[in-house]
Amino acid sequence: MEKYRYKTAGTCSREIEIGIENGIIENVIFQGGCHGNLQGLSALVKGMSAEEVISRLEGIKCGAKQTSCPDQLSQALKVILNKKEGIN
């Protein structure tokens, strides 16, 4: 399993730790943010393909913000799948 860290922008969470193997999400841990909601989100996406998570979560906004923790997860997964900079 490969592990990645993604620094979020525009959300209460600061960082997302993602474990992924063969395009399938093994685990997701958010640092900061609404703990209960983000634990629930992490449990729901476990075992899903990264592409499916992106298609379901991309573009979700939090109130007046232009993004949300679910949207930031989709952005992180896009970076991982595209092997772009920003992931360590």
Side-chain angles (χ1 to χ4, degrees):
M1 174 176 64
E2 294 181 71
K3 291 189 176 186
Y4 301 90
R5 290 181 187 270
Y6 181 83
K7 299 283 185 195
T8 59
T11 60
C12 298
S13 64
R14 299 176 305 279
E15 183 177 85
I16 308 170
E17 238 179 82
I18 302 166
I20 191 166
E21 187 168 339
N22 298 320
I24 304 298
I25 297 173
E26 297 289 325
N27 61 32
V28 175
I29 301 169
F30 285 85
Q31 301 300 320
C34 303
H35 188 66
N37 289 335
L38 296 175
Q39 278 185 306
L41 175 62
S42 298
L44 288 171
V45 301
K46 185 177 179 178
M48 290 178 66
S49 73
E51 290 90 356
E52 179 71 13
V53 173
I54 292 166
S55 73
R56 289 177 182 242
L57 302 182
E58 186 174 28
I60 292 176
K61 295 180 182 180
C62 184
K65 296 178 182 177
Q66 294 301 305
T67 189
S68 66
C69 292
D71 181 60
Q72 287 293 291
L73 176 57
S74 74
Q75 299 307 312
L77 292 170
K78 285 170 62 175
V79 171
I80 291 168
L81 293 180
N82 292 321
K83 304 290 188 202
K84 293 182 180 176
E85 292 181 29
I87 293 285
N88 60 12

